[in-house]
Amino acid sequence: MDRGGAPRPRAGSPVIVFVHPGQGAQHVGMGVQMAAQFKAARRAFEEASDAVGLDLLALCREGPEERLRATENTQPALLAASCAVAAVLMEHGVLPGAAAGLSLGEYSALVSAGALGLADAALIVRRRGLLMREAAEGLRTAMAAVMGLEAEVVDGICRETPGLVEAANFNAPGQVVIAGTCDAVAEATARLRGAGARKVVPLAVSAPFHTSLMRQAAERLAPVIGAACLVPPRIPVVTNVAAQPVREPEQIRLLLLRQVAAPVRWEQSVRALGEMGATTFVEAGPGRTLAGLIARTLPAAEVISVDDPSTLQAALVRLSAHAPAVDIDSAGATVQG
């Protein structure tokens, strides 16, 4: 899927945002039906597979789950599956006016926006996954989702807790993910429950993503991102770190590096897209996680999830009923923070 696969939406088309899932959405079987039915999806898998020297479609088709869950495999496989869906949507005339992605999904968003080629993205995320895993080796770490407390309260308790525990993902109102060393996360969990958290759920992940424990991974990833060919996106891409659209390639590089060890500001990113005029979000890729988070953040927004031929057909029917709307204006988009 080259940069020619990311055309601008036509004037008068609906204000549609492509959003792409991050790690955790993967499952054996993802993308397989799309690749079986659509050449554009097969091409996406082939391009990503050739780049990393791994048959990603076979991995998604056959697993096993344990092999797919290995971070260095999960990341390029999920990227390929998400970009395959986006390619098919665009082939059917569904053209985004903006894009965003949760964590790893930011790479899919950059591909959808024409800023980054799929082959380069696959190479980066394969290395990214390996470096993240290596950064966590020998450490006892944990992540947990905190439900029912304001983000400021969760962040404050993490800062006051002894040891290393940090707010890693601001996902939606009342949902924040914390991460760090096991002892510190356990202590923060007790304090959060004491402060009135409705629920604190441990997450089955292999590393404390988006915390300062990943700084070494970010440093080692810098040459890989530095070597990638990046161009200005054809549509605004709202980034996890800044929660604002970014247009300059060097800013994109900087933010992709910062993202490895910095919190994901997904709630703020969704709100920024709403302020830019987004009315319809199409979740392009496996799972329905983003649909739930967006619905909690922007209750009036329409969210459509697409990950196989049946959900594609349903999405095309729903989108065909849209009245024309004003496109998101990408002029003057800047990075802040």
Side-chain angles (χ1 to χ4, degrees):
M1 179 179 171
D2 59 24
R3 291 175 179 80
R8 289 185 184 275
R10 293 181 294 274
S13 61
V15 180
I16 293 170
V17 178
F18 277 9
V19 290
H20 298 281
Q23 196 161 330
Q26 74 276 357
H27 60 87
V28 174
M30 65 179 181
V32 173
Q33 292 182 49
M34 293 294 275
Q37 190 161 327
F38 300 104
K39 290 181 180 179
R42 287 198 297 278
R43 285 195 299 267
F45 271 103
E46 288 166 0
E47 185 174 352
S49 296
D50 289 345
V52 300
L54 176 66
D55 189 337
L56 297 170
L57 184 56
L59 175 63
C60 290
R61 183 190 301 114
E62 302 161 12
E65 188 74 39
E66 183 178 355
R67 183 169 178 240
L68 181 60
R69 275 203 312 268
T71 304
E72 62 270 29
N73 294 338
T74 302
Q75 295 201 18
L78 190 52
L79 171 83
S82 296
C83 290
V85 172
V88 173
L89 282 163
M90 287 189 281
E91 190 175 61
H92 282 76
V94 180
L95 305 180
L102 179 66
S103 186
L104 167 69
E106 190 166 298
Y107 288 87
S108 304
L110 289 166
V111 175
S112 291
L116 181 63
L118 178 51
D120 274 350
L123 282 170
I124 294 171
V125 302
R126 171 79 163 170
R127 183 67 174 159
R128 180 180 184 266
L130 178 63
L131 293 174
M132 285 178 155
R133 177 176 62 77
E134 290 178 348
E137 285 178 351
L139 301 176
R140 295 182 63 251
T141 62
M143 296 186 80
V146 182
M147 314 292 188
L149 286 179
E150 294 294 325
E152 295 78 8
V153 174
V154 176
D155 189 43
I157 288 175
C158 286
R159 293 177 186 275
E160 295 166 1
T161 300
L164 197 151
V165 57
E166 299 168 5
N169 291 66
F170 298 95
N171 284 338
Q175 185 183 128
V176 180
V177 173
I178 63 172
T181 61
C182 284
D183 290 347
V185 170
E187 176 62 25
T189 294
R191 296 185 181 204
L192 290 162
R193 286 176 173 149
R198 187 175 73 252
K199 190 184 299 184
V200 183
V201 181
L203 302 178
V205 294
S206 58
F209 302 122
H210 304 294
T211 70
S212 57
L213 291 171
M214 293 287 106
R215 282 177 184 160
Q216 181 186 55
E219 291 169 2
R220 295 174 65 193
L221 187 63
V224 185
I225 291 180
C229 179
L230 279 157
V231 300
R234 294 181 178 142
I235 56 176
V237 176
V238 172
T239 68
N240 290 184
V241 172
Q244 292 291 332
V246 58
R247 291 191 58 80
E248 295 301 322
E250 293 313 308
Q251 291 175 324
I252 294 171
R253 290 186 210 279
L254 174 64
L255 291 170
L256 287 175
L257 283 174
R258 288 182 58 194
Q259 187 222 61
V260 175
V264 170
R265 300 173 64 206
W266 184 249
E267 177 187 345
Q268 297 90 332
S269 297
V270 171
R271 291 192 188 283
L273 286 160
E275 291 168 3
M276 291 162 60
T279 57
T280 302
F281 293 78
V282 176
E283 183 174 11
R288 305 288 186 277
T289 299
L290 298 186
L293 298 179
I294 293 167
R296 292 179 61 178
T297 304
L298 294 179
E302 181 175 18
V303 189
I304 303 169
S305 298
V306 180
D307 64 358
D308 60 23
S310 63
T311 52
L312 170 69
Q313 186 58 40
L316 295 176
V317 171
R318 288 176 65 179
L319 291 168
S320 69
H322 276 280
V326 178
D327 293 332
I328 290 178
D329 183 4
S330 62
T334 59
V335 173
Q336 301 174 359

